[in-house]
Amino acid sequence: MRRCRARRLRTIALVPETESNTTRPAEALLRVIDLRGHRAGSGAELSKVVPRAAFDVEQAMAAVRPVVEAVATRGEEALRELSERFDKVVPDSFRVPVERLAAAEKQLDAQVREAFELAIERRRQVSLAELGDTSVAVDVDRGARVIQKLIPVNRVGLYVPGGLAPLASSVIMNVVPAQVAGVGSIAVTSPPQVEFGGEPHPNILALCSILGIDEVYAVGGAQAVAMFAHGVPGLCEPVDLVTGPGNIYVVAAKRLLKGKIGIDSEAGPTEIAILADDSANPAHVAADLISQAEHDPLAGSVLVTDSAELAAAVEAQLEPQLGRTRHVERIRTALTGEQSGVVLVDDLEQGLAVVDAYAAEHLEIHTHNAFDLAQRVTNAGAIFIGGYSPVSLGDYCAGSTHVLPTAGAAKHSSGLNVKSFLREVHLIHYDRGALAEVRREVETFAEAEQLPAHGAAISVRFDEEAD
């Protein structure tokens, strides 16, 4: 394993610092947070010191509110003004004509189409497995049945980013599980692109055509979410649910309109955490950190390891690999930002505590016993096990979802999947005998809550018969 010369560590401890020790050598990309010797840290304490970007949705909402109100009150007129202001182009038609979708599919490179179709096939296979039983019936007593039925959302709006990277893969990740769930009406929107005459990227249009989606809009940003939520007369009917990742303004619009519409999550900048020991290949680890930094200057790339030698070897790999890639400045900004770094731990037990506290969108495990450790992780959007399961695989054709919770939301939320497009509805059927069996209990419960009319709704059914 390649070793780097010794260097001072930029240290953040779980106890208050009495003097500054935050230097970073000019040649180092990743800062180092040294948690060795601080084993008593709770999950809450660890959450405060692991790297993470600032992502102030509340502040963005102030800018988003007038955008949403303009679309709600002035419809397509407002969309034209906002498209000119934010996208620097106004489409001839905000709804992409069906013939343009078919043309984009016809012009698609054969190898790109093959890659698209493989990704669709694998995501559909996993989605069908996610669907599981569509209803479950429980007989709680003779004549007393409760059925849990899964009902698809009637209409959904799917947002596909098109800023720094036209994420055609997000079409697959949104559309396929919605189709498998049985959603009857699916609309897709993606920002208009100047270089494509005000239409979304051709790959996005081609994928929509392949998947049979003919309702596609060239609208981006907060105004796209507002269009879906409020509808635009003569252009777009309102939806019930909006899903898909986007920038902070898309997130702010989703938060602002949540309640009027359902949303999947408030996805922030992408992030990767890698838990590794001395068995990890430093070139692989460096490549995976770089791959997620490629998304956005705010992307987080975090290595958690008990091996200072591995950390040094990974650092030594970063510059050479950066020299062989395209978006160098974007990646460098992400790697040197406060959201990225190396966390040194005493051992993998402490490492597990750190990654659980971090609750990464993407977690890779490169250790001797990677599969066993993966079973013990409680907080992560998706877990990639071993040296041959990189996040890039999940981004495209692992079959898993790549629309995942960020910013620690993996502690309470799941990635986008078939169940995201389904509602669980209980159907309750009791016959007379079954209701009679629990009559007194219901009446007693209602009286205890000082809601006598609730009890009366039971007793009236039997008092009438007594009369």
Side-chain angles (χ1 to χ4, degrees), residues 7 68 113 129 142 219 235 309 335-336 340 346 353 361 381 418 453 455:
R7 67 182 188 201
V68 170
R113 184 185 183 110
R142 179 180 299 176
V219 183
L235 178 67
E309 291 78 10
L335 292 178
T336 56
S340 299
D346 288 306
E361 177 190 18
V418 168

Side-chain angles (χ1 to χ4, degrees), residues 150-203:
L150 298 180
I151 301 176
V153 173
N154 290 321
R155 177 167 164 78
V156 300
L158 312 179
Y159 189 90
V160 178
L164 293 177
L167 298 185
S169 54
S170 286
V171 177
I172 298 171
M173 299 298 168
N174 281 268
V175 170
V176 170
Q179 289 178 329
V180 171
V183 175
S185 177
I186 300 174
V188 171
T189 192
S190 190
Q193 307 288 315
V194 174
E195 60 267 45
F196 300 112
E199 291 183 349
H201 194 283
N203 285 349

Side-chain angles (χ1 to χ4, degrees), residues 29 89 123 139 163 175 194 228 256 274 277 281 318 334 381 408:
L29 288 174
V89 63
R123 187 68 193 100
D139 292 319
V175 170
V194 174
F228 278 152
L256 184 64
I274 300 178
D277 60 17
N281 184 317
L318 292 175

Side-chain angles (χ1 to χ4, degrees), residues 277-305:
D277 60 17
D278 59 5
S279 69
N281 184 317
H284 296 177
V285 173
D288 294 352
L289 294 172
I290 288 172
S291 72
Q292 291 308 294
E294 183 177 40
H295 273 285
D296 191 296
L298 289 177
S301 295
V302 178
L303 170 61
V304 180
T305 182

Side-chain angles (χ1 to χ4, degrees), residues 336-352:
T336 56
E338 63 179 349
Q339 71 273 18
S340 299
V342 175
V343 180
L344 291 178
V345 293
D346 288 306
D347 50 37
L348 292 180
E349 287 299 316
Q350 189 184 25
L352 275 173

Side-chain angles (χ1 to χ4, degrees), residues 225-240:
V225 181
M227 176 188 72
F228 278 152
H230 293 288
V232 174
L235 178 67
C236 177
E237 291 295 316
V239 304
D240 304 305

Side-chain angles (χ1 to χ4, degrees), residues 317-360:
Q317 283 282 334
L318 292 175
E319 282 291 355
Q321 291 196 31
L322 268 178
R324 298 191 294 270
T325 193
R326 185 181 307 169
H327 306 293
V328 176
E329 290 311 310
R330 184 192 308 170
I331 296 169
R332 188 182 301 278
T333 299
L335 292 178
T336 56
E338 63 179 349
Q339 71 273 18
S340 299
V342 175
V343 180
L344 291 178
V345 293
D346 288 306
D347 50 37
L348 292 180
E349 287 299 316
Q350 189 184 25
L352 275 173
V354 169
V355 297
D356 266 338
Y358 184 65

